[in-house]
Amino acid sequence: MDMSQKLAGKKIAILVENGFEQVELEKPKAALEEAGAETHIISPQSGKVKAWAMTDWGQEFTVDKELKSAVTSDYDGLLLPGGVMNPDYLRANEQAVAFVRAFNDNGKPIAAICHGPWALIEAQAVQGRKMTSWPSLKTDLTNAGANWVDQEVVTDQGLVTSRKPDDIPAFNKKMIEEFAEGKHDRS
């Protein structure tokens, strides 16, 4: 299949708060769009959301849809970029946690990189799953029942995880594969 149309007709939600790692939104978003997907930046913030770029504040990105009006059934997959502040804010936001949980409960593919899996822990979406993350999340994920491994990219029934920006090429490839496969029945 032509990679440029692998995700044609699919809508992908990118859930972020202020302080997401800029490259972990920009590069996967571009890869999804190159594969034919329509992407929406969804945030509890309205108007704009501000990135973190390695050591300082980065660019602002337009929020396509406020979280309060976003409906998970409108989307085929979910991308959770990292950064430290972003997932910490999201996991403390009941609406964001419910949004993430709905993707998991419906077997829709989710891709999370770096600190992104923090939101998955809060959404009770990691029990029994093989995952990776930024190394400092190993204990959190293990305590929440995940099987944490130190690998560039890990896939477990529609859940794609990676450790850091260096893993983005492998992460993007697997994310596109899983999003193209669609729903996974985990019963």
Side-chain angles (χ1 to χ4, degrees), residues 37-117:
E38 180 184 338
T39 63
H40 287 173
I41 293 176
I42 297 172
S43 179
Q45 303 297 325
S46 60
K48 302 254 183 215
V49 66
K50 199 168 180 75
W52 187 259
M54 299 297 186
T55 58
D56 205 349
W57 289 104
Q59 292 174 269
E60 287 189 327
F61 290 78
T62 300
V63 173
D64 297 304
K65 191 168 279 246
E66 277 187 66
L67 178 61
K68 65 184 178 204
S69 60
V71 183
T72 53
S73 58
D74 291 347
Y75 298 95
D76 300 293
L78 174 64
L79 168 62
L80 295 169
V84 180
M85 288 174 267
N86 162 57
D88 199 39
Y89 292 144
L90 291 175
R91 68 181 177 162
N93 180 319
E94 284 179 35
Q95 251 184 332
V97 171
F99 189 77
V100 172
R101 186 178 294 127
F103 278 89
N104 183 64
D105 290 351
N106 291 301
K108 290 185 178 185
I110 300 172
I113 188 167
C114 197
H115 291 78

Side-chain angles (χ1 to χ4, degrees), residues 147-181:
N147 170 17
W148 191 90
V149 293
D150 185 11
Q151 289 173 11
E152 182 178 55
V153 63
V154 176
T155 306
D156 183 321
Q157 294 178 297
L159 176 62
V160 181
T161 50
S162 281
R163 303 167 299 187
K164 57 186 187 259
D166 290 350
D167 298 340
I168 289 174
F171 177 73
N172 286 350
K173 185 171 182 278
K174 282 293 180 194
M175 170 181 65
I176 289 166
E177 279 176 25
E178 291 301 309
F179 286 3
E181 281 178 27

